[in-house]
Amino acid sequence: MSHILSVMGEMFPDAHCELNHRNPFELTIAVLLSAQCTDETVNKVTASLFQKYQTPADYLAVPIEELEQDIRRIGLFRNKAAHIQKLSQMLIDNYGGEVPQQHEELTKLPGVGRKTANVVVSNAFGVPAIAVDTHVERVSKRLGLAKADDSVLEVEKKLMKLVPREHWTDTHHRLIFFGRYHCKAQNPNCPVCPLLDVCKEGKQRMKPAVNRKAKPNPNK
DNA sequence: AACTCGGGGCA
DNA sequence: TGCCCAGAGTT
């Protein structure tokens, strides 16, 4: 596992998301917005969004239609605008206007699921966590770190067993960058992959077609 | 477990 | 045009 992480670290030496350096509230909003769209899109939207809105009260001060307009370029924006306003109200009512630091409290907020909560606690509050998104899940399963039919939660548990706690947060970043830019969902770049020799699915993909034709199921 | 939300990016 | 994408909520 350490070999895998060091190789990924060499491939993407500055694997991190700029949004992770924002304050807890902006980070929570940004990760909530990122669901099912690329971080580049979120960066474009939040650049102006965070100029206009700084506090939970700011998001509640406008009609929801106006907030929807401000995040219009993001997919699923109607859900997200409603979530942001409900979340803002809950922060004011229940948490003194601040983002709670406990994972369990975070997931009570609308639009904040397990993945978002993991990103927030690990990047804003220094609590080690491995957020499993589609990239992390795909990469883990291809490498053979988890089984193909494992749930997201099972993938997270297995990664936590494989990686020392102090490296959980940067492990998350490395797997995401590796999955986003190299081990893509379609056409993974196996031919030039430095992890090919330890990758379960990569070796399978790189087998010459003639072998597959001659021996369809050599192991069964 | 399947369905829904949804515009942007890319082939 | 068609397909996929740094998820979460509801049924």
Side-chain angles (χ1 to χ4, degrees), chain A residues 116-148:
Chain A
T116 301
N118 280 351
V119 173
V120 171
V121 297
S122 65
N123 290 289
F125 300 129
V127 180
I130 301 178
V132 179
D133 56 28
T134 55
H135 293 316
V136 175
E137 180 180 358
R138 182 181 65 255
V139 169
S140 299
K141 290 181 176 180
R142 280 182 177 164
L143 284 169
L145 305 176
K147 292 182 182 174

Side-chain angles (χ1 to χ4, degrees), chain A residues 59-60 62-64 67 80-89:
Chain A
Y59 287 102
L60 292 167
V62 301
I64 191 167
L67 182 54
K80 289 168 180 173
H83 285 154
I84 288 173
Q85 288 200 327
K86 283 184 197 164
L87 178 151
S88 296
Q89 191 65 57

Side-chain angles (χ1 to χ4, degrees), chain A residues 149-207:
Chain A
D149 59 349
D150 278 347
S151 68
V152 170
L153 188 57
E154 286 169 328
V155 173
E156 182 180 329
K157 285 181 182 173
K158 290 185 177 180
L159 288 176
M160 289 191 295
K161 277 190 180 177
L162 289 168
V163 180
R165 187 182 179 86
E166 62 268 26
H167 288 129
W168 284 357
T169 301
D170 54 279
T171 292
H172 150 72
H173 290 142
R174 290 180 191 195
L175 288 181
I176 283 184
F177 268 70
F178 181 75
R180 174 91 172 96
Y181 299 108
H182 180 81
C183 191
K184 304 174 195 175
Q186 277 83 33
N187 300 342
N189 209 351
C190 300
V192 297
C193 184
L195 288 174
L196 183 60
D197 55 336
V198 296
C199 180
K200 188 180 169 194
E201 186 171 327
K203 282 186 281 196
Q204 202 66 30
R205 284 175 177 270
M206 285 298 98
K207 272 188 183 172

Side-chain angles (χ1 to χ4, degrees), chain A residues 75-124:
Chain A
L76 316 179
F77 61 89
R78 278 184 267 269
N79 277 352
K80 289 168 180 173
H83 285 154
I84 288 173
Q85 288 200 327
K86 283 184 197 164
L87 178 151
S88 296
Q89 191 65 57
M90 287 177 67
L91 292 189
I92 292 172
D93 293 344
N94 305 331
Y95 303 100
E98 301 290 327
V99 177
Q101 302 193 19
Q102 296 77 20
H103 189 282
E104 187 180 348
E105 299 301 314
L106 281 165
T107 53
K108 291 179 183 174
L109 301 172
V112 179
R114 181 168 190 86
K115 181 253 176 179
T116 301
N118 280 351
V119 173
V120 171
V121 297
S122 65
N123 290 289

